[in-house]
Amino acid sequence: MTDESENEEINIQEMTTPELLELMQEDLYDGYADEVVEEVNEALARGMSPYDVLTQGLVAGMEVVGVDFRDGILFVPEVLMAAKAMKAGMEVLRPLLAETGAPTIGKMVIGTVKGDIHDIGKNLVVMMMEGAGFEVFNLGINNSVDDFLGAIAEHQPDILGMSALLTTTMPYMREVINALKAKGIRNDIIVLVGGAPLNEAFAEDIEADAYCRDAAVAVETAKKLIQIKRSKSRA
Ligand code: B1M
């Protein structure tokens, strides 16, 4: 999108904030991790909230990558470079999003389902949940039914979160939920699902408790459903 030599002449401190965010999106698209980190730091130094830098800079940049990937303008190697730049920027924001000092309000086990290696969005959910005071056990990518069941047995979470970014992997969520039912533990745990190809109807169909459009919705939904569950168990 940009020529690297152009970047060398750019003084980011002289840019307006919208220009800085636009450059961050372009550098993410081009996979320039070091530049993205500099721009994230500059945006924070200007007083932007970590959440705004995340959504208006990094997530917005990744959306353009997604469109061009779909349209055959970008290919896997370029998208991997963009993902690396996104992760570098997220690493700067991670401690800031997690530093609310909120007491632990619940436990969550989360992972991307079997056959799927997309983890950027799921990792964002982890960051936001931790920031909101949840203890999160992140199982990473490509998790089988047994991986989820094992982690549930080990950590006894209030919430199970599953992520899928492919239409071919999202049906696997149903298998995990069926396994919870077969073990007789489905009603002991709140199941939240998310990922770009999902929607509310799908979540309802597989009998998840809720579909979460994004990380902020995941936090809100988790808090709400945990409160409901606890008030029911007190009653
Ligand atoms: Co892939 N990929 N990819 N990819 N990739 C998509 C998903 C795709 C939509 C691109 C496209 O065609 N436009 C398409 C899927 C089409 C489909 O199934 N309908 C696709 C494809 C086809 C593929 C491959 C098959 C390509 C190939 O090999 N030919 C392959 C599959 C590999 C596999 O998994 N087996 C593949 C590979 C890759 C890379 C490895 C190159 C890379 C992943 C790197 C990584 O994650 N470490 C990659 C990327 C980066 C993408 C896109 C461009 C971006 C995904 C992303 O990170 N978005 C993506 C296009 C797109 O989604 N627009 C695409 C940013 C992220 C912040 O958003 O992940 O949606 P998202 O997460 C959001 C919400 O969805 C929600 O909250 C998050 C934060 O707000 N959320 C949850 C997500 N998980 C949640 C869990 C929850 C709650 C909320 O639990 C409670």
Side-chain angles (χ1 to χ4, degrees):
M1 204 185 226
T2 49
D3 174 355
E4 195 164 9
S5 59
E6 267 173 43
N7 257 1
E8 283 164 17
E9 290 153 29
I10 293 170
N11 181 351
I12 57 173
Q13 270 130 16
E14 286 172 6
M15 294 182 144
T16 63
T17 299
E19 284 168 348
L20 176 70
L21 288 170
E22 196 180 323
L23 181 66
M24 193 187 297
Q25 292 164 19
E26 287 177 0
D27 283 340
L28 187 145
Y29 184 102
D30 290 329
Y32 299 157
D34 292 347
E35 285 79 356
V36 168
V37 166
E38 267 177 50
E39 289 140 16
V40 166
N41 280 318
E42 173 63 19
L44 292 170
R46 292 179 187 204
M48 270 187 89
S49 75
Y51 184 70
D52 284 349
V53 179
L54 179 67
T55 51
Q56 294 171 30
L58 301 181
V59 173
M62 191 48 97
E63 271 165 21
V64 185
V65 173
V67 171
D68 283 2
F69 188 28
R70 181 197 62 208
D71 295 345
I73 297 165
L74 289 181
F75 297 96
V76 171
E78 289 118 326
V79 178
L80 273 176
M81 293 292 288
K84 220 171 132 195
M86 171 107 188
K87 284 186 174 182
M90 276 164 61
E91 278 313 306
V92 179
L93 299 175
R94 178 187 296 275
L96 304 171
L97 287 167
E99 87 181 356
T100 57
T104 300
I105 50 176
K107 275 198 232 173
M108 178 189 223
V109 159
I110 186 168
T112 304
V113 299
K114 192 171 165 188
D116 201 320
I117 61 169
H118 294 86
D119 66 354
I120 294 173
K122 184 251 313 147
N123 290 345
L124 262 179
V125 174
V126 172
M127 280 163 59
M128 299 279 293
M129 292 292 291
E130 286 176 343
F134 284 85
E135 186 179 3
V136 183
F137 301 93
N138 183 355
L139 308 185
I141 56 172
N142 196 23
N143 286 287
S144 65
V145 166
D146 285 347
D147 294 332
F148 284 114
L149 291 181
I152 290 168
E154 185 182 349
H155 303 298
Q156 302 287 319
D158 306 284
I159 300 170
L160 169 66
M162 288 189 278
S163 180
L165 266 285
L166 299 172
T167 44
T168 48
T169 56
M170 54 191 254
Y172 196 76
M173 292 175 168
R174 187 194 303 275
E175 291 188 36
V176 179
I177 292 177
N178 284 344
L180 295 176
K181 283 193 204 160
K183 278 203 135 233
I185 55 171
R186 171 65 190 90
N187 293 335
D188 302 342
I189 192 161
I190 297 163
V191 180
L192 303 182
V193 294
L198 277 63
N199 56 34
E200 270 157 24
F202 174 77
E204 204 175 311
D205 188 48
I206 63 169
E207 296 177 60
D209 291 294
Y211 157 69
C212 307
R213 190 182 63 244
D214 60 29
V217 171
V219 169
E220 274 168 37
T221 312
K223 282 182 174 168
K224 193 179 75 192
L225 295 186
I226 258 193
Q227 226 172 20
I228 294 173
K229 188 179 169 204
R230 291 196 178 145
S231 56
K232 268 190 194 155
S233 63
R234 273 196 297 269

